[in-house]
Amino acid sequence: MKVSVDRGVCYGSAECAHRAPSVFAFEDGYGVVRPGRETAGDDPQVREAAEKCPSQAVVISE
């Protein structure tokens, strides 16, 4: 499963970076997926970050 952050929707709460710091970082006011971690969508912390993202910017896809 792939994970990404929709920067058009993200408003910079940093909730993803707080919940799954090994996968997400907070850069330039937005959450981003760390390089090489784009396929971490199956990680339970990533799924929680997607569920708890207040702007619903974390996207998990196949």
Side-chain angles (χ1 to χ4, degrees), residues 19-46:
R19 292 186 182 274
S22 66
V23 176
F24 299 101
F26 190 67
E27 297 176 0
D28 299 325
Y30 297 97
V32 296
V33 177
R34 292 183 182 278
R37 301 294 290 161
E38 297 86 358
T39 60
D42 291 328
D43 183 318
Q45 289 181 316
V46 171

Side-chain angles (χ1 to χ4, degrees), residues 40-60:
D42 291 328
D43 183 318
Q45 289 181 316
V46 171
R47 292 199 170 270
E48 181 180 358
E51 291 171 10
K52 303 292 182 177
C53 176
S55 63
Q56 299 297 294
V58 177
V59 178
I60 297 174

Side-chain angles (χ1 to χ4, degrees), residues 3-26:
V3 62
S4 60
V5 176
D6 183 342
R7 286 189 71 159
V9 176
C10 179
Y11 60 73
S13 73
E15 193 68 32
C16 58
H18 172 73
R19 292 186 182 274
S22 66
V23 176
F24 299 101
F26 190 67

